[in-house]
């Protein structure tokens, strides 16, 4: 098989800029694909928060992007993804990107997101033309890149890059990029595309919908989520589009950066450890208890949480049951996150009420996230909806059995603990209620205190699972080839959905 030319276009790329799991995926999968021999490149906006130092190079030629009236001019910065030779390009445009946040500032979504990301979509394609590097496939990620398949099918269709296939990955269907029709004018998209089976939703332009209708193939980040989004309850108003495109939709479970998330070599945690010798994990627990002002005691089960504060993540369920749990059980909680103001307040109130039992850090802190993964005894993830979820994968790798609600990728990646045989990698519950969550925390707590051997087995099972990109990277290559063949008008059959890493 000849190597493929693959362009990743993404609004987030770890470790340069990260809001959620999308960044983790785009920061790691390209490295695995490159290691398989493919020519992979990644492009992202140059937000003000990205630190450009001497290791970067500015391209001499300015980037003239054909949007708006008389084009917009940008500049391209170039480096590589850390630990690889994968070229990483950042597109600079002061007016659009010289601000720290990706999607939203303190007062909500940036009102010019439609223009910012239209520029970014067209700029990414212009960059390829400037480089004289025409990708076989453009891999787009979520609503901010939804105009790429649309541009390739319309204004750029008869150019060399118009031959490129597109794969559009849904990381989270909830955010769709609704905007005014001015976005189409700005991007020079023909007005005829403002219709229900292209870009129009409820009288507005929907950038996600544009991507879903116009991409050659669609993937999402777990097989179960691929099914859920075709239903009314999981489709966020786009389920009919996904049913229409069902034959082109594939679920591929996310992998993780197995070197970046490895407790045996992780230099950011106070002590490394392995499945054979977990003594370093106890050191991490003591340090976590110290840092979050918890009672330093190795025997109390410590439950970790790292999450956006959002009802999608079920953190309202956790906030609701925490007082009862902390009153009734001898447990501790370490909570890291930020987001919804009301939820923040609830967690702050609970932390004030239960000093020494509930440690809270509001904010985004990558180092503390690793310490929580390493130092906790359980990881809590009560999501209402979860496309894939990465934190439960990191938790299992760090010997921290997850407690998850059975939804989306959590179904695919966590195996239920079976008391009679001590099989499984974590605890799953069905109902999105505070009671079901509290009961499951109680079950985990009882297992920890009363069945230490079974608890140890749970830890070891999770640590033994292979969550690296391996099989899923191959599935993406199959998906790219499927898309390329379709774009060329060749007959091609759909690859099988990527089976769960839990198998
Ligand atoms: P989502 O993308 O829905 O937020 P995922 O589980 O797929 O959820 O990915 C979340 C990623 O963001 C993980 O890498 C997690 O460690 C990280 N993360 C989430 N909140 C924080 C935070 N407050 N501080 C540091 N990292 C965080």
């Amino acid at each position: 098989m000849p190597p493929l030319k693959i362009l990743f276009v993404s609004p987030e790329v770890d470790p340069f800029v990260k809001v959620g799991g999308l960044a983790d995926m785009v920061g790691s999968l390209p490295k695995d694909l490159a290691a398989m021999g493919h020519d992979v490149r990644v492009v992202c906006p140059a937000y003000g928060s990205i630190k450009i130092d001497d290791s970067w190079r500015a391209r001499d030629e300015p980037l003239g992007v054909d949007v708006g009236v008389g084009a917009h001019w940008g500049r391209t910065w170039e480096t590589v993804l850390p630990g690889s030779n994968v070229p990483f390009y950042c597109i600079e445009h002061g007016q659009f990107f010289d601000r720290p946040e990706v999607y939203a500032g303190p007062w909500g979504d940036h009102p010019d997101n439609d223009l910012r990301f239209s520029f970014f979509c067209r700029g990414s394609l212009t960059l390829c033309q400037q480089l004289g590097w025409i990708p076989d496939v453009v891999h787009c990620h979520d609503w901010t890149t939804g105009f790429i398949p649309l541009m390739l099918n319309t204004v750029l269709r008869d150019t060399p890059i118009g031959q490129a296939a597109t794969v559009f990955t849904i990381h989270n269907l909830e955010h769709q990029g609704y905007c005014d029709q001015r976005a189409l004018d700005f991007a020079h998209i023909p007005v005829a595309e403002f219709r229900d089976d292209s870009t129009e939703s409820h009288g507005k332009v929907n950038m996600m919908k544009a991507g879903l209708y116009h991409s050659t193939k669609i993937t999402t980040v777990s097989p179960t989520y691929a099914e859920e989004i075709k239903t009314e309850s999981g489709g966020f108003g786009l389920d009919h589009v996904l049913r229409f495109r069902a034959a082109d939709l594939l679920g591929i479970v996310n992998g993780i950066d197995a070197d970046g998330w490895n407790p045996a070599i992780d230099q950011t945690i106070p002590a490394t450890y392995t499945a054979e010798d977990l003594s370093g994990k106890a050191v991490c627990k003591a340090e976590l208890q110290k840092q979050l002002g918890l009672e330093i005691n190795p025997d109390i089960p410590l439950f970790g949480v790292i999450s956006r504060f959002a009802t999608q993540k079920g953190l309202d369920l956790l906030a609701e049951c925490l007082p009862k749990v902390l009153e009734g059980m001898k447990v501790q909680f370490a909570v890291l996150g930020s987001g919804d103001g009301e939820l923040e307040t609830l967690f702050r109130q609970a932390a004030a009420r239960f000093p020494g039992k509930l440690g809270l850090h509001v904010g985004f802190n990558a180092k503390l996230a690793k310490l929580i993964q390493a130092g906790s005894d359980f990881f809590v993830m009560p999501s209402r909806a979860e496309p894939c979820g990465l934190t439960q994968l990191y938790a299992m790798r760090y010997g921290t059995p997850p407690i998850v609600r059975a939804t989306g990728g959590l179904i695919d990646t966590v195996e239920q603990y079976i008391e009679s045989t001590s099989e499984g990698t974590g605890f799953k519950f069905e109902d999105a209620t505070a009671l079901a969550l509290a009961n499951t925390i109680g079950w985990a707590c009882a297992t920890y205190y009363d069945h230490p051997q079974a608890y140890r087995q749970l830890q070891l099972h999770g640590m033994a699972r292979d969550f690296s990109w391996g099989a899923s990277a191959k599935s993406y290559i199959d998906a790219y080839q499927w898309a390329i063949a379709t774009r060329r008008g060749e007959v091609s059959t759909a690859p099988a959905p990527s089976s769960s890493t839990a198998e």
Side-chain angles (χ1 to χ4, degrees):
M1 178 183 63
L4 299 179
K5 285 192 263 181
I6 308 160
L7 179 73
F8 275 65
V9 184
S10 175
E12 307 174 33
V13 184
D14 187 60
F16 301 99
V17 52
K18 168 163 160 172
V19 178
L22 159 57
D24 299 50
M25 193 262 220
V26 179
S28 56
L29 174 60
K31 295 198 243 183
D32 283 67
L33 298 174
M36 291 162 78
H38 300 286
D39 181 359
V40 194
R41 308 185 184 196
V42 182
V43 57
C44 171
Y47 307 106
S49 58
I50 295 182
K51 289 185 186 61
I52 293 181
D53 61 24
D54 293 346
S55 65
W56 295 64
R57 193 176 73 86
R59 286 186 57 77
D60 294 336
E61 218 182 325
L63 191 70
V65 181
D66 192 10
V67 288
V69 181
H72 271 252
W73 289 89
R75 177 159 65 155
T76 312
W77 290 91
E78 187 178 348
T79 182
V80 289
L81 290 187
S84 78
N85 292 322
V86 175
F88 175 61
Y89 305 100
C90 270
I91 298 183
E92 185 184 275
H93 184 290
Q95 181 195 335
F96 289 149
F97 300 127
D98 191 12
R99 52 186 104 163
E101 313 90 358
V102 177
Y103 311 105
W107 294 278
D109 288 350
H110 294 307
D112 57 350
N113 273 347
D114 53 343
L115 309 185
R116 298 170 76 218
F117 291 110
S118 296
F119 167 82
F120 174 55
C121 288
R122 185 66 191 254
S124 301
L125 301 173
T126 306
L127 174 63
C128 293
Q129 290 165 316
Q130 193 183 75
L131 292 168
W133 182 86
I134 301 300
D136 298 307
V137 59
V138 184
H139 191 164
C140 308
H141 299 270
D142 270 353
W143 67 268
T144 59
T145 59
F147 275 9
I148 286 183
L150 173 62
M151 288 168 171
L152 290 175
N153 282 358
T154 55
V155 273
L156 293 171
R157 185 67 180 108
D158 296 326
T159 68
I161 202 164
Q163 313 308 307
T166 45
V167 169
F168 184 87
T169 295
I170 303 166
H171 294 259
N172 192 338
L173 194 59
E174 200 171 336
H175 307 288
Q176 298 180 1
Y178 271 99
C179 55
D180 291 329
Q181 234 179 307
R182 71 167 186 174
L184 297 180
D185 297 342
F186 182 74
H188 303 167
I189 305 290
V191 69
E193 294 302 325
F194 188 65
R195 57 172 204 272
D196 182 45
D197 60 347
S198 181
T199 67
E200 190 269 338
S201 261
H202 307 290
K204 305 274 266 183
V205 171
N206 180 322
M207 294 176 84
M208 174 75 95
K209 190 176 188 184
L212 296 183
Y213 266 118
H214 285 273
S215 55
T216 321
K217 300 295 173 192
I218 303 166
T219 70
T220 189
V221 289
S222 70
T224 298
Y225 195 63
E227 295 306 315
E228 289 174 353
I229 55 180
K230 286 183 274 185
T231 66
E232 208 181 325
S233 61
F236 296 98
L238 291 181
D239 43 296
H240 63 291
V241 183
L242 289 155
R243 285 195 297 275
F244 177 73
R245 296 231 48 200
D248 298 310
L249 167 66
L250 197 62
I252 302 176
V253 76
N254 270 341
I256 65 170
D257 178 346
D259 295 329
W261 292 88
N262 181 354
I265 55 169
D266 191 336
Q267 293 306 308
T268 69
I269 54 177
T272 55
Y273 56 91
T274 60
E276 291 72 42
D277 177 7
L278 285 165
S279 52
K281 189 164 171 67
V283 177
C284 296
K285 179 171 178 178
E287 179 60 25
L288 176 58
Q289 288 172 322
K290 186 171 148 218
Q291 280 194 23
L292 287 188
L294 300 165
E295 179 192 334
I296 299 177
N297 182 335
D299 300 325
I300 302 177
L302 173 47
F303 292 72
V305 179
I306 305 161
S307 183
R308 290 184 284 116
F309 285 170
T311 49
Q312 183 215 323
K313 292 286 182 184
L315 283 218
D316 54 318
L317 306 177
L318 181 63
E320 189 183 335
C321 76
L322 258 183
K324 263 211 174 108
V325 167
L326 289 170
E327 267 164 13
M329 302 179 207
K330 197 162 167 50
V331 295
Q332 295 178 336
F333 272 78
V335 179
L336 166 65
S338 63
D340 180 284
E342 280 177 31
L343 281 171
E344 263 181 44
T345 306
L346 286 177
F347 280 104
R348 282 188 203 281
Q349 286 167 346
R353 188 169 152 203
F354 297 99
K357 293 190 93 180
L358 170 56
L360 172 68
H361 182 96
V362 174
F364 197 92
N365 185 326
K367 194 157 185 241
L368 181 58
K370 285 236 168 122
L371 182 62
I372 292 178
Q373 294 285 11
S376 301
D377 299 303
F378 296 100
F379 189 81
V380 183
M381 203 167 173
S383 305
R384 286 198 154 75
E386 194 58 75
C388 177
L390 290 172
T391 43
Q392 83 282 9
L393 303 181
Y394 300 145
M396 286 184 272
R397 187 141 168 87
Y398 279 68
T400 309
I403 295 168
V404 302
R405 193 173 93 75
T407 180
L410 299 177
I411 293 178
D412 295 338
T413 58
V414 179
E415 293 162 69
Q416 181 67 289
Y417 167 55
I418 300 171
E419 237 169 47
S420 55
T421 58
S422 293
E423 282 172 276
T425 56
F427 299 82
K428 290 197 257 198
F429 62 96
E430 294 287 334
D431 296 340
T433 61
L435 181 66
L437 172 59
N439 285 342
T440 314
I441 291 172
W443 182 21
C445 183
T447 307
Y448 182 89
Y449 279 122
D450 302 337
H451 304 286
Q453 287 306 328
Y455 170 71
R456 178 55 55 95
Q457 285 306 311
L458 267 173
Q459 286 185 297
L460 297 184
H461 288 159
M463 291 180 92
R465 293 292 179 274
D466 178 8
F467 295 118
S468 64
W469 273 104
S472 293
K474 290 198 188 81
S475 297
Y476 271 107
I477 293 298
D478 291 344
Y480 297 148
Q481 283 177 323
W482 182 40
I484 292 164
T486 304
R487 188 74 170 166
R488 289 183 184 149
E490 296 163 9
V491 178
S492 65
T493 44
S498 147
S499 55
S500 133
T501 51
E503 283 171 0

